[in-house]
Amino acid sequence: MTLTQEKTLAARVRADFPILHQAIHGKPLVYLDNAASSQKPLAVLDALRHYYQNDNANVHRGVHTLSSRATDGYEGARDKVAAFVNAAHREEIIYTRNATEAINLVAYAWGMSTLQRGDEIILSVMEHHANLIPWQFVAQKTGAVLRFVELTGTQDFDLDHYRSLVSDKTKLVSVVHASNMLGCINPVEDIVAIAHQYGAKVLIDACQSVPHSVVDVQALDCDWLVASGHKMCAPTGIGFLYGKKELLRSMPPFMGGGEMIADVFFDQATYADIPHRFEAGTPAIGEAIALGAAVDYLMAIGMDKIHAYEQELTAYLFQQLNAISEVKIYGPQPDAGVTNRVGLAAFTTGAVHPHDLSTILDQAGIAIRAGHHCTQPLHRHLGAQSTARASVYFYNTREEIDTFITALKEAIEFFGGIFG
Amino acid sequence: MSLDNMRDLYQQVILERYKKPRNKGKTDPADRYQKGHNPSCGDTIELTLKINGDRIEDVKFEGEGCAIAISSADLMAEALRGRTLTEAAEMVQRFQSMMKGEAEFPQEFRKLNAMRGVAQFPVRIKCANLSWHTLKAAIENSTPQPVGFVTNE
């Protein structure tokens, strides 16, 4: 394995992330909680500040210069996001607060108005609560039925089981692209193609894939795709929904208010065309502009480079974790080129409970996640109450993984001594 | 690594009780039965009390959780035995004050003071409090059936 590319990329970008250069409990911060939220580069922080310092005004309504600048920035960022996921049309990108809101938008606007008793919604057992609860709401309200794709023996998405579930009753398939707990990358092209044979729509939760690799909505042919900005170097409070143009046009509004209207009377209203139909109220303008800056930043590095670098880092992370006998990692082992999973490892260590481990690692400056990672049913399914999770991004280094592994071994020894 | 800091939090008694809790199970009879959980981390506890008059004769717990949650439940169960419900309610208050760094237990309950270090770790206080919070509900709900789950989040 070559170190050259890895060192070059991490060395090149780390100076862009001021937050990484601090001590936690007297130790250099090692941030390995990227699957929960990424850190933000200066380019994004600067864009946010520049907007509020120079251009701040409400969008779309004003005639004055600041409003015009704010609108240009806000709509310009939409073009950037559209290009980032290769949407065919800019109006196919709807800004939301995050992926959760984007899924809820589809669930309420499309699901509640379209689905009927007996219709089937296919999810997988690995879905994040955000891609489960909204569909529970829809099922409770409409009488639609939820079906769940199981895992294979290697804890991958079971495509055969999926095939056996899809039928003429299937109206929606909503699945995660890359699992935030198992780390597996799901065969979404196949999932979409099979669903479409039966006329079912497909929503892809791309929160763990869009920040780390090239995601092309036209190549996937998905009907909707959702992602959160804060996991891809952008601020919190901004995310997006991609939807095919005609499908979005066919959907009734989600929330009512300003911005989403065409003509309003006391007793009724007509609605704006997409994308504004789904963007009621003053949006997160500065955050949207900063999302555009994040896209610029990621694209300047190159998503292919980011992906390749993270593949190397992931291989190293697994090599090191696999060497510790007490560690049990969930999800598939990485294949030779690490093409089958993203850069996270959810694991247990036997003696050390994930929360105790997280506290101990925090004392060593290392940030990992502990808990059920908003996948409680999956944890129950796997017989794990909670897991610890380390997740990397392109600014992490091999040395940081070494620091993490050393501290992990010490924690296991600390608890193991008592248990031995 | 600064494992020495960790020894203040993870005192020997905490690790021992986590490894081998002495008060796991269900009381017979279970005059009080209460479930508690911390939804954000998934820790759960089922607490049962055997009561004679207003006196707690036995306390047991079932549950899954971290070293802090399990050892806290185990030490609590031991300390409660033979106490009245009123005394137990006062101990809940005292424990919660201890988690704010404002109090500790007198000599006869000194084992509970092993949990004192948790006060320095704000995000873990809910782990230590889980069993006490569940006890509070068990004291207030005088039926042998749990009224749903209680949570201290």
Side-chain angles (χ1 to χ4, degrees), chain A residues 61-85:
Chain A
R61 292 188 253 293
V63 180
H64 58 79
T65 301
L66 290 190
S67 175
S68 166
R69 278 194 215 150
T71 304
D72 289 350
Y74 180 74
E75 293 300 333
R78 193 189 311 273
D79 292 326
K80 292 173 185 179
V81 175
F84 189 59
V85 295

Side-chain angles (χ1 to χ4, degrees), chain B residues 29-46:
Chain B
D31 299 306
R32 299 285 170 95
Y33 174 32
Q34 185 61 53
K35 295 178 180 180
H37 71 159
N38 284 338
S40 74
C41 62
D43 286 1
T44 60
I45 184 172
E46 286 185 42

Side-chain angles (χ1 to χ4, degrees), chain A residues 404-416:
Chain A
F404 159 62
I405 293 291
T406 303
L408 174 61
K409 284 179 181 164
E410 283 185 44
I412 291 171
E413 203 175 315
F414 179 68
F415 269 73

